[in-house]
Each structure stands twice: as structure tokens, then as C-alpha cells.
Amino acid sequence: MLLVIMNIIHRNFFRLLRSGALNEYESLEPMSLYKWKQLSHLIAAQGVAEIAMKGLRNHTFDDQGNYPKSMQEELQSFIDESLAKTKSEDSSEKQDLPHMSNFFLNRRLNHIQKNERHQIDASMTTLDLLNIIVKNINLTFNKGISLSGISEMGSFLRTKGDKVDFVKLEEWLRKLHIQRMAQLEGSVLIAVFKFDQDEIPFVNKIEPKAYGLTLRTLDHHTDDNMEEWHFKQSEAGFVHGNTRVTRRNLRRSMRYISYAPIETSSHFLKNFARNLSEIEE
């Protein structure tokens, strides 16, 4: 019975995202108040409250949907919390360009980011899409498939995809060894947001696990709220590891390692080393 409940919640979740991000309308399915509350929690956990709010407003006159009016207030509170958190962050950090964990691949990425504007055939739109792809890779390694990031990529492709130099983009993806990760992101758009494969030229083959990995992220979103410490030093000087978090991060790395072996392993090792260094601080 739980599977049935989660299926209908997922379907309405994806419909709200498609409506909010892409202005694609599909009637919501009626649910109980309990299920609508579960959907609200899922929206908050995935960080897509603003997109979902836009989608919900598009369904104001939906005769099929029976969402509670309090849901808009709840989503607005999530949006306000997110805005408050964003304002409290350092503005210089928010403006940082996406980066890669592997030193050599990051150097290549920096070269592309800094030099593209000086090229004769410069395409800043293509660079913007590359940065979205790389940002999504980081989000995926940290939390699993990011529906917020995927929504951003889908909206970008629908509004600016005709200005993208996909030949140049594929060459960059090849140099950075992230062709399959980009292909996985595109496959999520096809599986969840109902894109046609022709709309995403860098998807040469639809990744069969895209839909399952997306659902896994939704089903396990509460795991990402667990205590994030990795290592602690006791007053006696002994170092204790949070094996639950370490195992979770290792499992996630293994889940995506076939899509980008170099970057996945570099990301895990870099995080592991950073958390060890925090003990000394």
C-alpha cells in the first residue's frame, strides 16, 4: 500500500515541477490531506518550493486537483526560509563558478570558463549550460539527483537551447570526462520531465537507470537530513567517525562511479580528506 501512496505523490510532484519550470499543464490527481502533507515535505526536502509554488498557481482552477488551500501558505514559508538562508550566506560564495573535485579536470574546466569569451566562435550560452551540468554533478554527488538542478537545466534548454553549440559542448564534456553524467542528467529530463531525446543532443543513449535513481533520491530524502559530522575528537583526544554518514557517501559514490569514474572517486576522497582536516581546527 505504501508503494501506491508514494507513486501518486511522485506523480503529482513531477506534475507540479513540470508546470512550474516548463509551464506544461497536466491535471493533478486527488489525494488525501495526509498525502498532500507528504508532498509538501517532499517539496521542501528537494528544495523546489519556489518551482512547486508556480506550478500550484497554474493549477488554481484545476477541477481534478483537491489540494488544501493551506498548502500555498506552507510552500511560501519554505520559500521565505530559503531566501533568509540565502541572504545570510556570503555573497562571494554564491557567485563562485561551478568547479570539479579532480585537480586536473578542474584546471581544464577553469581554462574553458576563463577563455571562452575570448574565442572567435565564443558561445557564452553554451558555457552557461556546461556550468549547469557541472553544478548538477556536484549536487548529485552530495545529495543524489537534484530535481532543482534538473529543473533549471530543463528550463534553460527550453528557452535557450536553440542558441547552444552542442558540438562545442560535447567536446568540453569529453575533455572533462563527464559525458555520461551529462547524459544521465539529460535522461532524467526525458524520464521525469517528458523531454524528447531530440531536444537534448548530448544524450546519445538514454540511461536506463535515470528514472530509478531519481525515485531513489525522493524515497531516501530523509537520509540526507541526518547529522552531517564525519569525524569528532573527544576530550580525551580520541577520534570518532560517523560510520553511517561515511557508508552512505560511499554507497552514493559507488552508485555513480560508472558514469564518471575520475570525478566520482576524486569527490569522495576530497570530502574525506576535508572532513579529517576539520578535526585539527
Side-chain angles (χ1 to χ4, degrees):
M1 185 63 182
L2 180 61
L3 182 61
V4 175
I5 292 175
M6 291 308 294
N7 276 340
I8 192 172
I9 293 173
H10 288 167
R11 290 197 296 272
N12 278 339
F13 174 75
F14 294 141
R15 285 169 183 167
L16 285 178
L17 292 194
R18 288 197 297 271
S19 178
L22 308 172
N23 289 317
E24 292 186 353
Y25 181 85
E26 184 179 359
S27 291
L28 299 173
E29 296 180 58
M31 298 194 301
S32 68
L33 181 60
Y34 170 78
K35 295 175 188 176
W36 284 114
K37 287 187 177 295
Q38 290 295 104
L39 176 56
S40 292
H41 293 321
L42 182 59
I43 289 169
Q46 291 298 316
V48 291
E50 192 168 354
I51 299 173
M53 176 67 91
K54 291 179 182 177
L56 201 61
R57 286 170 179 161
N58 288 342
H59 287 80
T60 300
F61 303 104
D62 188 346
D63 294 333
Q64 300 298 319
N66 65 333
Y67 65 88
K69 299 306 177 184
S70 60
M71 187 171 179
Q72 287 196 12
E73 298 177 5
E74 198 168 8
L75 292 185
Q76 187 59 54
S77 69
F78 295 148
I79 294 171
D80 293 341
E81 288 176 13
S82 178
L83 288 175
K85 183 179 179 181
T86 300
K87 288 180 181 179
S88 67
E89 293 175 351
D90 182 71
S91 59
S92 63
E93 290 182 0
K94 290 185 286 183
Q95 296 173 359
D96 283 348
L97 289 173
H99 62 278
M100 300 186 71
S101 297
N102 182 270
F103 174 80
F104 298 103
L105 295 183
N106 192 54
R107 190 164 64 178
R108 290 183 187 178
L109 175 61
N110 288 337
H111 179 81
I112 293 170
Q113 291 169 333
K114 292 178 181 178
N115 291 284
E116 177 59 19
R117 67 179 67 253
H118 305 297
Q119 302 301 314
I120 297 175
D121 61 342
S123 174
M124 300 311 292
T125 305
T126 307
L127 182 60
D128 289 340
L129 180 54
L130 175 67
N131 285 330
I132 291 173
I133 290 172
V134 174
K135 182 177 75 172
N136 265 311
I137 290 174
N138 288 325
L139 290 171
T140 298
F141 289 161
N142 287 326
K143 297 288 185 178
I145 299 293
S146 167
L147 273 304
S148 174
I150 295 296
S151 297
E152 180 186 3
M153 185 168 73
S155 178
F156 187 93
L157 285 169
R158 284 284 170 84
T159 57
K160 300 180 180 179
D162 59 325
K163 299 179 179 65
V164 174
D165 184 340
F166 285 102
V167 174
K168 177 177 287 191
L169 177 66
E170 292 207 51
E171 177 63 16
W172 289 343
L173 296 176
R174 184 190 63 78
K175 287 182 177 180
L176 298 173
H177 298 280
I178 53 174
Q179 306 102 305
R180 279 201 68 194
M181 277 301 296
Q183 186 164 265
L184 176 63
E185 293 174 19
S187 296
V188 174
L189 281 176
I190 294 169
V192 172
F193 289 87
K194 300 187 177 180
F195 271 62
D196 293 327
Q197 188 172 350
D198 294 341
E199 297 181 83
I200 318 173
F202 55 85
V203 176
N204 300 308
K205 176 186 176 184
I206 298 176
E207 295 292 347
K209 294 184 179 180
Y211 187 67
L213 288 171
T214 304
L215 290 186
R216 183 184 183 90
T217 299
L218 299 187
D219 287 335
H220 293 78
H221 68 274
T222 52
D223 289 347
D224 290 327
N225 294 326
M226 71 174 66
E227 195 174 3
E228 284 296 329
W229 66 272
H230 291 72
F231 298 95
K232 283 184 178 179
Q233 189 169 18
S234 67
E235 294 181 1
F238 295 105
V239 176
H240 303 279
N242 189 337
T243 56
R244 187 182 176 195
V245 172
T246 302
R247 287 198 305 269
R248 181 201 63 186
N249 292 342
L250 180 58
R251 285 196 301 269
R252 182 181 296 122
S253 295
M254 295 306 297
R255 197 174 300 136
Y256 294 103
I257 197 165
S258 63
Y259 297 98
I262 298 174
E263 183 62 9
T264 305
S265 55
S266 296
H267 183 274
F268 177 79
L269 293 174
K270 184 176 181 179
N271 277 355
F272 191 83
R274 185 179 67 243
N275 289 311
L276 273 176
S277 68
E278 289 176 358
I279 299 175
E280 302 174 359
E281 298 178 0

